[in-house]
Amino acid sequence: MRGRDKTLVTGWFSFLHGEATAGDVLALRRVEEVLRGAGLPYDVVWSPGFRADALHFADLDPAAYSRLVFVCGPAHGPQVEELHQRFAHCVRVAVGVSVVDPGSPAVTGFHRVLARDAAGAVPTPDLAARAPALPARPVVGVILTHGQHEYGGQRRHEEVAAGLTGWLAGKDCARLELETRLDAHDWRLCGTPAQLEAVLARLDLVVTDRLHGLVLALRAGTPALAVDPVAGGAKVTAQARACGWPALVAAERLTEGVLEHWWDWCLTDGREEAGRIGAGFRSAEPVADAADALVAALGTRPAG
């Protein structure tokens, strides 16, 4: 492809010390949609810190391009100014950007600035708003513990947490780290059980190695992929058995194949099963728990 025919698309997602935000990447998708619709060939340059296997500034020949499009974010700073120097032979256009200082070399270096906001100008919707529709992805709550030292040498908590989080990092899902610990003063934590249950009820799946991560998910009707972090099985295994919940993985069997099997089940048949178990907790004839025997136990006379 001759240089005069090709466009390089860049933005803050392209710089080594920039950042790739969801909004910036969706803005990029909107620009790609427009370029494809116009039949204009283009390349996208990415930060090696975000996409190691993609095209990077260090890899490309500026002479291969005749146009440069800078997408989203502020048109400001030395990284943007360097683009004007390196691609001085290109027609340079900024699109969907914020103009903080219209006199800055980062701004004046562009031949055209199609701003989303600038002093004295009518703002336009951010490019991310009209980006192509995205496929739905499961929303997964992750509830892990690094404590429970009472299990001593049977603890496999660190190995389980590392295995689960490493595996989850490769799953195409929205991950939400949650805590069962309540705190009325820390805004990052729920202050009441009702607040946590409201979150759990809106999830597609919970991945947990905690007893209450399992129980509260099922109570909310949300399937739980539960891992017992204690060698030989302990309270998580016992609770899964008590609830009749099958998606349980032993610490010794924490493999990708086993996790994938229960992941698929939880997101299909598991949803109905979790709803059935959760409804059973609230039914007129629930399964007995320890509190059913409490009154009788309180009437016990001490020996002697």
Side-chain angles (χ1 to χ4, degrees):
M1 181 64 64
R2 292 171 297 173
R4 69 173 184 270
D5 297 324
K6 204 165 191 182
T7 299
L8 183 67
V9 182
T10 181
W12 286 98
F13 50 81
S14 307
F15 300 135
L16 178 61
H17 300 297
E19 60 178 16
T21 70
D24 286 354
V25 174
L26 283 174
L28 166 64
R29 300 301 181 224
R30 170 67 178 139
V31 167
E32 288 185 288
E33 180 182 53
V34 169
L35 293 177
R36 285 194 300 269
L40 295 174
Y42 66 91
D43 288 332
V44 178
V45 61
W46 293 92
S47 165
F50 180 63
R51 287 190 54 183
D53 59 344
L55 179 67
H56 308 140
F57 277 125
D59 305 325
L60 60 81
D61 177 9
Y65 304 95
S66 62
R67 298 176 293 266
L68 180 140
V69 175
F70 186 85
V71 180
C72 200
H76 181 79
Q79 296 102 317
V80 180
E81 293 176 24
E82 288 170 13
L83 288 179
H84 298 311
Q85 299 171 16
R86 188 174 181 190
F87 295 89
H89 63 285
C90 290
V91 173
R92 299 179 302 282
V93 177
V95 57
V97 296
S98 293
V99 176
V100 180
D101 177 5
S104 162
V107 176
T108 59
F110 287 108
H111 296 92
R112 290 287 305 278
V113 176
L114 307 175
R116 66 183 173 193
D117 56 86
V122 177
T124 62
D126 183 76
L127 298 177
R130 286 182 55 197
L134 301 174
R137 293 292 182 261
V139 181
V140 179
V142 183
I143 305 175
L144 302 177
T145 177
H146 298 279
Q148 300 179 345
H149 294 279
E150 62 270 23
Y151 289 104
Q154 293 176 284
R155 292 183 74 257
R156 300 292 183 272
H157 293 61
E158 285 72 20
E159 298 95 313
V160 165
L164 280 175
T165 54
W167 169 70
L168 281 168
K171 298 297 292 181
D172 190 5
C173 66
R175 293 166 290 273
L176 182 64
E177 186 177 16
L178 297 173
E179 256 285 356
T180 59
R181 181 170 64 86
L182 303 178
D183 193 316
H185 307 289
D186 188 339
W187 68 269
R188 294 166 295 185
L189 299 176
C190 292
T192 67
Q195 293 171 10
L196 180 57
E197 189 166 287
V199 176
L200 295 173
R202 288 164 171 78
L203 300 176
D204 295 302
L205 172 64
V206 169
V207 174
T208 185
D209 65 356
R210 305 197 71 154
L211 179 153
H212 281 127
L214 167 62
V215 173
L216 298 183
L218 295 180
R219 175 184 162 88
T222 300
L225 198 172
V227 180
D228 195 322
V230 179
K235 59 186 179 181
V236 175
T237 297
Q239 196 58 215
R241 184 178 300 120
C243 295
W245 183 247
L248 173 73
V249 180
E252 300 90 334
R253 297 192 63 230
L254 189 66
T255 65
E256 183 172 325
V258 173
L259 291 172
E260 291 289 344
H261 167 77
W262 287 118
W263 173 277
D264 292 340
W265 182 83
C266 284
L267 292 175
T268 52
D269 298 340
R271 188 80 197 185
E272 182 178 350
E273 183 66 8
R276 185 189 67 78
I277 291 174
F281 292 160
R282 299 181 295 275
S283 70
E285 298 181 1
V287 175
D289 64 15
D292 289 321
L294 177 59
V295 173
L298 290 173
T300 302
R301 293 183 179 277

